[in-house]
Amino acid sequence: MKVQLTESVTAFTTDSPLPYSPCYALRDQSLAIGGYANQEERDAQLVHTFGSQQWLWSEEDDFRFRNSDHQLESLYLLIPEEPCPAPEVCAGWVRTTMVIGGLRAETRDNFALETTTGRWFDQEARHMMCLRDQAPPPEEGGMRVRIAPDTDILLAGGKMVGWMLTNPARYLTQGWDRPAVTPPAPGTSQLLAAYLAMTSWPAIEKILDGEAGACRELRNLKQRILGQAADPSRNSVLGRAVDMLIEDHC
């Protein structure tokens, strides 16, 4: 199946999705999927890959393909703070047809892949979705391609319009650490959903302004995190993210 990544760059689906677990970092709101374990290894990968990448002041998403066979090697995706302007459109994508496969670039060209502009998550953060501006409803030729564990790119008429992470709480990590291999505790997704709601626009503005009510909600969330004895590694990720907001703005 042909996939249009940009107006001029295409790829084809393969039967080899990426084997790496996603790493969802709250610190810099990113999703990394690749065989690297730190920034140095990620930078070293650029030598034998091509595709899209961030430059000094750019905000592109990274899709890196191997020079040798044009197969997708890694992803690095930025997560916007702006909410999806049409949440009903986002919710509809969860129910679209899904196929499993990797990607093979048609030509060996570098390119710029625009980041998504709005994020959406359901009430318990079972799905987190990031879409570009003016993404059409999924009924208009929508399809998902699962290119890594629980990670789908979203296609409308063959063109990439966003991506989705299922069970994002499972992949919470601090920096370059690998996520815990055990399933998340039942309450972790609810804690993540609360954090995402507080840090999405326009709610985040109240925190940035140091409003007393918003700061009180943050401290209450921190107590909820501390009150969950299970899932210590993911609690640590959530707790540190909340602590940074409190220290910087409250």
Side-chain angles (χ1 to χ4, degrees):
M1 180 174 64
K2 191 173 183 179
V3 174
Q4 188 174 355
L5 296 176
T6 72
E7 292 297 331
S8 59
V9 176
T10 57
F12 295 90
T13 55
T14 72
D15 57 0
S16 301
L18 290 172
Y20 313 112
S21 292
C23 294
Y24 173 23
L26 289 183
R27 182 179 63 186
D28 56 2
Q29 284 299 311
S30 66
L31 186 73
I33 307 175
Y36 40 73
N38 52 52
Q39 184 65 48
E40 290 73 22
E41 291 183 9
R42 181 184 167 211
D43 292 341
Q45 188 189 85
L46 298 176
V47 176
H48 60 85
T49 60
F50 67 93
S52 176
Q53 72 179 89
Q54 296 181 48
W55 297 98
L56 183 59
W57 301 113
S58 68
E59 287 292 315
E60 281 86 27
D61 281 336
D62 289 11
F63 268 57
R64 302 300 298 177
F65 297 87
R66 293 195 295 263
N67 290 336
S68 58
D69 57 8
H70 294 198
Q71 298 286 337
L72 183 65
E73 177 73 4
S74 66
L75 301 173
Y76 187 83
L77 307 171
L78 298 177
I79 301 170
E81 293 179 337
E82 294 282 351
C84 177
E88 67 283 354
V89 170
C90 292
W93 279 96
V94 176
R95 301 184 293 273
T96 55
T97 300
M98 187 265 287
V99 297
I100 298 174
L103 289 178
R104 177 178 56 83
E106 183 175 22
T107 59
R108 184 176 163 179
D109 297 316
N110 289 315
F111 56 93
L113 186 67
E114 61 180 302
T115 60
T116 54
T117 54
R119 74 181 182 190
W120 171 89
F121 52 93
D122 54 19
Q123 191 170 5
E124 294 183 349
R126 292 167 297 183
H127 302 91
M128 181 173 65
M129 187 178 303
C130 297
L131 288 176
R132 297 192 180 128
D133 280 337
Q134 300 177 340
E139 294 81 7
E140 298 179 11
M143 176 175 285
R144 295 184 284 143
V145 180
R146 180 146 295 180
I147 56 174
D150 281 338
T151 308
D152 307 335
I153 59 171
L154 308 179
L155 307 178
K159 182 177 181 179
M160 181 178 168
V161 295
W163 57 270
M164 182 175 74
L165 180 65
T166 299
N167 198 11
R170 185 183 188 98
Y171 301 104
L172 284 171
T173 183
Q174 185 69 40
W176 295 103
D177 297 338
R178 291 293 174 183
V181 296
T182 55
T188 305
S189 289
Q190 287 90 337
L191 294 172
L192 175 59
Y195 173 83
L196 291 173
M198 291 182 189
T199 55
S200 295
W201 291 95
I204 186 65
E205 290 185 295
K206 296 180 180 180
I207 294 175
L208 299 179
D209 290 340
E211 291 189 13
C215 290
R216 185 166 54 251
E217 289 184 12
L218 270 179
R219 294 190 177 94
N220 289 341
L221 177 58
K222 180 60 185 293
Q223 291 305 309
R224 289 173 58 192
I225 295 169
L226 293 173
Q228 179 174 258
D231 224 354
S233 63
R234 297 182 180 94
N235 289 344
S236 176
V237 174
L238 285 163
R240 289 185 187 182
V242 172
D243 283 341
M244 287 179 62
L245 288 173
I246 293 174
E247 291 170 4
D248 292 345
H249 305 291
C250 297

